[in-house]
Amino acid sequence: MSRFDRGRTSRTARRRTTSRTPPPAHRHPAYLEVQKERAEDVQLRTADWITRFAGSMWFVYIHVVVFAVWMVWTERSPWPTLTLIVSLEAIFLSTFVMIGQNRQAEFTRKKADHDYEAQELELRHNTHLTELVHTLTVEIHEAVNAAATSGTATCENGGQTPTTPA
């Protein structure tokens, strides 16, 4: 280890310790709400599991092995049955893809609703602060004008010069 590496973690150590998903405290409230709703329904949990598995490389590997074994060793003419099974599987998998898209659309809608509410609250807060700043500016302006007017009147009447605080 060189003198420049002291106190630093290695690149591989950083890769092992960092996760791809943020901890639950940093997730969007809409995401947490959708996850909670999906965790409560058995059908949605099952659809999520199938979608997650069908989108993995294990799904591809299993299909390659099963279809290769079936075409080479099981049947003499596997094409009609193979075509039927692959077509049925494509129908079911496309359904799970649509379920996943619906889940993403639901999350996007809830996130947009939450963001809109947060932005409206921020707008109301900023508007209130702007009104307060305007009120204070008007009051300060009136006080300065009143002091300037009374200072000018004192100079004209008494011949004294107004004193200004430092």
Side-chain angles (χ1 to χ4, degrees):
M1 171 168 36
S2 73
R3 64 185 176 103
F4 299 111
D5 292 333
R6 284 187 215 134
R8 295 184 183 173
T9 56
S10 68
R11 192 176 304 166
T12 54
R14 280 194 303 261
R15 263 190 244 132
R16 280 188 298 240
T17 57
T18 58
S19 67
R20 292 179 185 211
T21 58
H26 299 292
R27 289 195 179 138
H28 198 281
Y31 174 81
L32 297 174
E33 182 183 340
V34 168
Q35 287 301 104
K36 181 183 172 200
E37 289 173 5
R38 294 192 74 79
E40 293 172 354
D41 190 356
V42 175
Q43 291 178 353
L44 294 176
R45 282 195 319 258
T46 304
D48 288 343
W49 182 85
I50 291 171
T51 303
R52 197 169 33 255
F53 176 69
S56 71
M57 284 307 293
W58 281 109
F59 182 80
V60 174
Y61 299 147
I62 290 170
H63 277 74
V64 166
V65 169
V66 168
F67 289 150
V69 166
W70 183 22
M71 290 188 313
V72 173
W73 288 295
T74 305
E75 289 191 31
R76 286 184 134 215
S77 178
W79 304 116
T81 310
L82 180 64
T83 303
L84 174 68
I85 289 176
V86 169
S87 297
L88 287 173
E89 187 176 36
I91 291 168
F92 284 113
L93 289 178
S94 64
T95 302
F96 288 115
V97 167
M98 288 188 285
I99 290 171
Q101 288 175 341
N102 288 342
R103 179 186 62 211
Q104 184 62 38
E106 177 185 6
F107 165 69
T108 302
R109 183 188 55 77
K110 287 190 177 188
K111 182 180 181 302
D113 291 345
H114 177 271
D115 291 347
Y116 176 77
E117 290 171 9
Q119 288 172 0
E120 285 296 310
L121 179 64
E122 189 70 25
L123 178 64
R124 284 194 299 269
H125 182 71
N126 286 343
T127 302
H128 178 68
L129 289 176
T130 303
E131 290 169 351
L132 287 176
V133 168
H134 176 71
T135 302
L136 290 173
T137 303
V138 168
E139 289 176 5
I140 290 171
H141 183 69
E142 289 172 355
V144 167
N145 283 341
T149 304
S150 68
T152 305
T154 305
C155 284
E156 291 173 357
N157 295 337
Q160 300 174 354
T161 58
T163 58
T164 56

